[in-house]
Amino acid sequence: MNLIKYKLTTVLALLLGLFATVVTAQTKPNIVLIVSDDAGYSDFGFQGSKIMKTPYLDELAKQGVKFEQAYVTAAVCGPSRAGLLTGKYQERFGFEENNVPGYMVKSCLSDDDMGLPLDQKTMGNYMKELGYKTAVFGKWHMGSKDEFHPMNRGFDTFVGFRGGARSYYKYDPDDSEVKTENRLERGLGNFKESDEYMTDVLADASIDFIKENKNNPFFVYLAFNAVHAPLQSDKKDLVNFPNLTGKRKELAAMTLSLDRACGRVFETLKKLGLDKNTIVIFTNDNGGPTDSTTADNLPLSGMKATLLEGGIRVPFIMRWPGVLPANTVYKKPICTFDLLPTFYKMGGGNVAALKDIDGVDLLPHVLGKNTNLPHQELYWKGEVGSAMRDGNWKLLRFPDRPAELFDVDKDAGELNNLADQNPERVKAMYKKIFAWEQTLERPLWMLRRKYEGDAIKRMDVYWNRK
């Protein structure tokens, strides 16, 4: 009799444990982080565009919170993604001075040895620790060598390419001129090109992963290469923009494809009954490159690769039904490195245990439980110069002219230099930038000087002063 009781007790304990595991898996929110590439700040309907057609993303903004002052950690793709994935200033581990590889001085590391340092944990690592299935779809740009590969950096699944840009159409498998890092890869070293338009390929892969893991908590990092150059649209979308020509028409068609791909992901979540327990974030990796793709960053000045607002301020939406208020705007400055601790907390982790990050959990701020600024100070190092935001004030430090000071709450276009009227503030902020720089590692690689000159010219041309 005692034996029967023991067996019944054991079975009951196992069933209760299994039930607890299932309940935990079901209650953990899924997370889908969508990052577009090189999009203009104003090139979305929810950002005020009357040209671009983005109905699905516009609806997402109505269903969630739009962040008015969202920043990235760098004005170009690679460093920005490094900060996003690690939750900290990428300069703290030497990842600065533009993208890798191909832009660096000869005395630096070889191209193969440039990448996200192996001692840095990624979002994938953190979310796996919390029991999530993790995936990257699209652009990686964190190093081409196998040791830097997403599946060796905390992600279970990868469909995309290791480099920074590629064609939106299938490569010829016999074309030896195509770099291996830019070929479509499924898994680790399994290259398989697709006949589909690349934006659709990445959406399809994401949808398949979501369906396969509908009973598990999952974290998806959907890193579209759209709308990065080359400007190659899905030709069926061009007819929607009869009044546009040239590059602007191609960009508009590519943006429409991007929006439709996002919409297919949203619709999949809804059909599977996952939408109410899935956090969806949409943002962009840096400002749009107006000079090469016609991206529109107005009313902000500047563009990609500048530390003006148009280079580092990005569109940003977060939706979590039943938790975050719908159709609202959060106006205080945040940064994409805040996403890692925010996700970690959402997934059941203890943010206090994250000792080596610069981001903060955004939920208390968005929900009004913490009315302070998420960050009193934010810092940037660019191809040339540095920048700092201290409350409403932003200081720009240049290599070829005196520093300039702006109240970016009142002057987002950075048109009214207030440095001469506030010499003590300039001095104090200059010292803060220098003190911050003392905490950073030396760069693991250095940019060729020619690119620094190009950055200064680009800034002057696209600084929208009258």
Side-chain angles (χ1 to χ4, degrees):
M1 198 67 180
N2 288 336
L3 181 60
I4 293 173
K5 282 185 178 180
Y6 172 77
K7 288 182 177 179
L8 286 172
T9 303
T10 303
V11 170
L12 182 61
L14 289 172
L15 288 173
L16 287 172
L18 179 60
F19 177 74
T21 301
V22 171
V23 169
T24 301
Q26 290 174 341
T27 55
K28 279 182 183 287
N30 306 305
I31 300 171
V32 176
L33 169 61
I34 302 175
V35 179
S36 59
D37 195 354
D38 275 12
Y41 183 76
S42 299
D43 275 338
F44 300 93
F46 68 89
Q47 291 289 93
S49 178
K50 303 300 183 185
I51 296 172
M52 300 299 180
K53 298 181 179 181
T54 55
Y56 288 104
L57 291 171
D58 298 348
E59 184 61 27
L60 183 74
K62 291 176 184 176
Q63 296 170 352
V65 181
K66 187 173 83 165
F67 290 72
E68 194 173 86
Q69 299 189 65
Y71 290 95
V72 287
T73 61
V76 290
C77 309
S80 171
R81 292 162 195 269
L84 168 75
L85 287 167
T86 60
K88 66 179 80 171
Y89 292 109
Q90 64 282 351
E91 295 92 351
R92 287 180 52 204
F93 47 85
F95 196 127
E96 63 177 88
E97 296 286 353
N98 219 290
N99 300 317
V100 297
Y103 298 87
M104 309 307 161
V105 297
K106 293 180 179 178
S107 60
C108 287
L109 301 170
S110 69
D111 284 359
D112 282 348
D113 290 326
M114 294 181 190
L116 183 66
L118 300 180
D119 60 352
Q120 298 301 310
K121 292 178 69 172
T122 72
M123 278 183 180
N125 296 125
Y126 285 107
M127 299 314 290
K128 274 180 73 73
E129 290 175 0
L130 297 176
Y132 279 73
K133 295 293 185 182
T134 58
V136 177
F137 301 105
K139 173 175 171 174
W140 180 236
H141 213 192
M142 291 292 99
S144 302
K145 212 171 181 179
D146 280 355
E147 62 190 22
F148 300 125
H149 192 279
M151 294 182 69
N152 290 324
R153 306 305 301 271
F155 292 94
D156 301 309
T157 300
F158 176 61
V159 177
F161 56 99
R162 305 186 197 191
R166 60 152 285 152
S167 171
Y168 287 79
Y169 291 97
K170 182 177 181 178
Y171 283 131
D172 181 345
D174 298 323
D175 187 352
S176 60
E177 296 298 315
V178 178
K179 294 181 179 179
T180 299
E181 68 190 35
N182 291 334
R183 292 187 182 275
L184 181 64
E185 187 173 16
R186 299 173 187 272
L188 178 58
N190 179 15
F191 295 97
K192 186 178 180 182
E193 292 291 333
S194 171
D195 292 324
E196 280 190 279
Y197 186 63
M198 181 56 62
T199 303
D200 293 328
V201 170
L202 302 178
D204 289 345
S206 301
I207 289 168
D208 289 344
F209 178 84
I210 290 168
K211 288 178 178 178
E212 290 166 6
N213 291 280
K214 62 184 179 182
N215 296 320
N216 306 301
F218 56 77
F219 168 59
V220 171
Y221 171 37
L222 175 48
F224 286 110
N225 56 316
V227 289
H228 194 290
L231 292 179
Q232 297 173 332
S233 65
D234 186 337
K235 301 309 176 188
K236 71 175 182 289
D237 291 322
L238 291 171
V239 69
N240 293 284
F241 304 95
N243 297 323
L244 299 180
T245 59
K247 289 183 177 181
R248 192 65 177 160
K249 186 167 187 168
E250 289 284 344
L251 184 66
M254 293 169 72
T255 304
L256 180 59
S257 296
L258 167 68
D259 181 77
R260 186 173 57 246
C262 292
R264 290 202 292 120
V265 174
F266 303 157
E267 288 173 351
T268 298
L269 292 170
K270 188 172 183 178
K271 286 177 182 177
L272 295 174
L274 300 173
D275 54 320
K276 289 182 172 56
N277 194 38
T278 300
I279 300 139
V280 177
I281 298 90
F282 175 83
T283 189
N284 189 58
D285 63 345
N286 46 248
T290 309
D291 57 351
S292 60
T293 69
T294 75
D296 182 4
N297 298 310
L298 293 173
L300 309 179
S301 284
M303 55 170 283
K304 177 180 180 177
T306 77
L307 295 183
L308 297 168
E309 293 290 283
I312 56 176
R313 194 190 289 201
V314 293
F316 193 108
I317 303 167
M318 183 183 293
R319 182 190 73 184
W320 191 2
V323 178
L324 296 178
N327 202 24
T328 56
V329 177
Y330 185 76
K331 297 187 176 183
K332 295 175 182 177
I334 66 156
C335 187
T336 49
F337 61 32
D338 294 325
L339 286 174
L340 189 150
T342 303
F343 293 164
Y344 196 70
K345 178 64 179 294
M346 289 170 168
N350 179 8
V351 175
L354 302 177
K355 301 298 185 184
D356 188 36
I357 62 167
D358 296 304
V360 300
D361 175 17
L362 291 175
L363 278 187
H365 296 275
V366 178
L367 294 175
K369 297 176 181 178
N370 186 337
T371 58
N372 295 325
L373 293 174
H375 302 279
Q376 177 64 33
E377 299 168 358
L378 289 168
Y379 297 90
W380 296 269
K381 282 176 66 67
E383 295 175 357
V384 286
S386 303
M388 177 198 179
R389 180 158 174 166
D390 188 350
N392 297 339
W393 295 97
K394 181 179 174 187
L395 184 76
L396 286 160
R397 188 182 72 182
F398 307 103
D400 66 338
R401 70 200 72 183
E404 299 191 17
L405 180 71
F406 304 94
D407 182 343
V408 288
D409 256 11
K410 299 176 182 177
D411 178 23
E414 295 164 290
L415 303 178
N416 185 21
N417 178 17
L418 301 174
D420 289 346
Q421 301 170 37
N422 297 272
E424 291 305 313
R425 183 176 294 278
V426 170
K427 182 178 179 180
M429 292 179 71
Y430 226 106
K431 286 184 173 295
K432 285 183 177 180
I433 290 179
F434 183 68
W436 173 69
E437 289 175 334
Q438 303 313 296
T439 69
L440 308 178
E441 289 290 338
R442 289 291 184 185
L444 295 172
W445 43 76
M446 294 293 290
L447 193 68
R448 295 176 197 163
R449 291 290 190 191
K450 76 175 287 294
Y451 295 112
E452 295 179 357
D454 292 345
I456 285 289
K457 292 176 185 176
R458 188 182 301 117
M459 180 191 70
D460 285 340
V461 170
Y462 290 94
W463 198 330
N464 300 302
R465 288 171 160 161
K466 296 177 182 178

